[in-house]
Amino acid sequence: MKNNKIIAVWGNPNSGKTTLSIKMANELAKNNKSVILVLADSYVPVISTVLPFTETKEQSLGALLSSVQISQENILEKCIPVMKTKNLSVLSYLHSENIRTYADYGKERVLDLFILLKHLADHIIVDCSSMVHHDLLSRGALEMSDQIIRLVTPDLKAISFYDSSLMLLGERKYNVENHIKVLSNVKPVMPKDSISNHFGGIRHELEYCEELQQQALEARLFESLTDKSSSGYNQQFSSLMNEIFSEEVVAEKEEKKARKPFFKRREDV
């Protein structure tokens, strides 16, 4: 696809990476985009907490990465469809798996995976592990992504995390200076102004949303937020999506304008 993108979502622990990744993937799918959501964390596989009643049929991301050969067909076999959602599937480590479950794989395998994925869907959303220095797949996602969303919770632990972790991403290939920085899970009592000043360049804010929290607890994150109290989050989320995919929207509008009718209207003849 001409305008397809790999979007990596990274952030400090408990910053809402999985939640935002699911919401983004779901929104794109609702707009008739084909999407593959990659849940990259092998330390805490989340598939059973976000899709607990879905049969996986041994469709493990770990098995895919450690296989003898990787191909588009292999990837599609391991994709887990999301029920009642068109054009959206998930790649994930499965419940009870860990870093010792499968054989080790190298960087080339990770790069091959993302290259192949980009030919299989309009968009790839990668929910990265916070500890990218320990996770080759998440680190590869930061390197290969067209856009990286960096979530920051407005607290002192986030400062400590990034003061340590960003030093490990000093190479140009990680494009740290161009990450879209987003304050996440913001509550009124939090020192968001102080945190924003510390990091600089915070472009978006996602407020704490009670309905979103309830969805996470009940494994309903693939559903839309419909409560009136969620309107603030929905507006902030839309603003973030508009920035990331604005070029695509413009390209689609120009493409539609370029399509001329085969027959002229009578009044034009």
Side-chain angles (χ1 to χ4, degrees):
M1 297 291 179
K2 182 173 65 174
N3 296 307
N4 66 349
K5 287 185 176 182
I6 299 177
I7 308 295
V9 181
W10 178 55
N12 59 279
N14 301 313
S15 57
K17 300 179 294 298
T18 301
T19 296
L20 180 60
S21 297
I22 290 175
K23 290 303 182 186
M24 290 179 63
N26 206 46
E27 184 67 20
L28 290 167
K30 286 195 300 184
N31 285 279
N32 297 317
K33 302 296 181 182
S34 58
V35 186
I36 297 177
L37 170 62
V38 181
L39 303 176
D41 196 342
S42 61
Y43 289 87
V44 186
V46 298
I47 189 67
S48 61
T49 66
V50 296
L51 292 172
F53 306 112
T54 300
E55 186 178 353
T56 56
K57 299 178 181 178
E58 300 182 353
Q59 294 162 289
S60 173
L61 174 58
L64 176 66
L65 287 167
S66 60
S67 59
V68 175
Q69 186 176 6
I70 186 171
S71 65
Q72 292 184 4
E73 291 74 17
N74 299 143
I75 294 172
L76 292 173
E77 288 173 358
K78 299 301 182 184
C79 281
I80 302 168
V82 179
M83 292 182 63
K84 300 181 181 180
T85 305
K86 294 182 179 179
N87 306 323
L88 174 57
S89 58
V90 177
L91 283 172
S92 174
Y93 285 85
L94 303 184
H95 181 69
S96 78
E97 292 182 344
N98 55 57
I99 58 173
R100 301 289 185 184
T101 305
Y102 299 101
D104 291 338
Y105 55 88
K107 180 180 177 180
E108 291 302 319
R109 176 55 55 88
V110 172
L111 300 183
D112 287 344
L113 173 65
F114 285 119
I115 291 171
L116 291 169
L117 280 172
K118 205 164 183 179
H119 288 86
L120 289 173
D122 294 329
H123 297 296
I124 310 301
I125 307 296
V126 187
D127 171 26
C128 297
S129 167
S130 293
M131 307 304 176
V132 291
H133 46 289
H134 290 311
D135 183 8
L136 184 59
L137 180 58
S138 294
R139 198 160 63 249
L142 296 186
E143 181 178 344
M144 293 290 289
S145 291
D146 300 285
Q147 194 71 67
I148 298 169
I149 300 172
R150 189 199 307 174
L151 296 183
V152 181
T153 52
D155 53 46
L156 296 178
K157 282 189 175 181
I159 292 178
S160 179
F161 172 82
Y162 283 113
D163 284 352
S164 298
S165 298
L166 288 176
M167 296 175 63
L168 302 171
L169 299 176
E171 297 178 67
R172 183 179 298 178
K173 62 185 179 182
Y174 296 118
N175 205 21
V176 170
E177 296 301 321
N178 292 319
H179 291 186
I180 296 178
K181 287 179 276 189
V182 180
L183 276 186
S184 179
N185 202 27
V186 180
K187 298 178 181 178
V189 297
M190 290 178 162
K192 66 176 185 179
D193 293 336
S194 298
I195 301 298
S196 296
N197 291 335
H198 176 84
F199 287 106
I202 297 289
R203 286 150 69 173
H204 295 274
E205 178 181 315
L206 295 172
E207 65 183 35
Y208 170 79
C209 176
E210 187 172 344
E211 184 183 9
L212 193 63
Q213 180 67 27
Q214 195 64 33
Q215 284 186 350
L217 292 172
E218 298 173 356
R220 296 189 294 108
L221 286 172
F222 286 94
E223 298 179 10
S224 299
L225 295 171
T226 58
D227 195 87
K228 288 185 179 179
S229 63
S230 304
S231 60
Y233 179 92
N234 282 331
Q235 291 175 3
Q236 295 161 354
F237 174 75
S238 295
S239 176
L240 175 61
M241 292 291 285
N242 287 337
E243 176 177 352
I244 298 170
F245 298 102
S246 59
E247 294 180 2
E248 180 176 339
V249 172
V250 171
E252 288 180 349
K253 288 181 178 179
E254 291 179 350
E255 185 177 347
K256 288 180 180 179
K257 288 181 181 179
R259 295 174 187 165
K260 296 181 179 180
F262 186 78
F263 295 103
K264 293 184 178 179
R265 293 181 301 174
R266 180 177 296 274
E267 57 266 31
D268 293 335
V269 177

